[in-house]
Amino acid sequence: MIKIENLTININKLSVEDDNELLDSQVPSVVRDELVSTLRIISEDSRFAGQTVVIPDGCEKYGFTEGEFDLPELLEFLADMLE
């Protein structure tokens, strides 16, 4: 199981041409794209290498299989699914 304490990951806000900040957007496709990017950034963080996530029994109804999974790979999988 993963236990994260006192971990901060800074993600810089990007501006588009008209100075609207993408992370402040309410447009669903922009929000989804930012979430995908964030998941990919976090999955490459060396602090998560070798860590696992345990998905308990009963999560099949949410589309997850019971078991223990590599955290970076799971985050990449989630990013792929959202994309």
Side-chain angles (χ1 to χ4, degrees):
M1 200 171 283
I2 184 171
K3 182 177 181 182
I4 301 173
E5 293 181 9
N6 300 322
L7 175 65
T8 302
I9 298 174
N10 294 319
I11 299 170
N12 295 326
K13 291 185 176 186
L14 303 173
S15 296
V16 292
E17 291 175 13
D18 60 354
D19 291 329
N20 289 330
E21 292 182 342
L22 292 176
L23 292 179
D24 292 334
S25 177
Q26 297 298 314
V27 178
S29 62
V30 172
V31 173
R32 185 190 65 238
D33 290 346
E34 286 301 309
L35 178 56
V36 167
S37 296
T38 301
L39 287 170
R40 292 193 192 287
I41 290 168
I42 293 170
S43 73
E44 294 173 4
D45 191 316
S46 62
R47 295 175 286 186
F48 295 115
Q51 295 195 41
T52 60
V53 173
V54 176
I55 297 178
D57 188 29
C59 289
E60 293 86 8
K61 62 185 172 186
Y62 302 112
F64 293 98
T65 303
E66 174 187 4
E68 187 172 350
F69 301 91
D70 181 71
L71 178 59
E73 287 181 14
L74 181 61
L75 294 173
E76 276 290 325
F77 169 75
L78 293 174
D80 289 345
M81 295 304 292
L82 286 170
E83 204 169 41

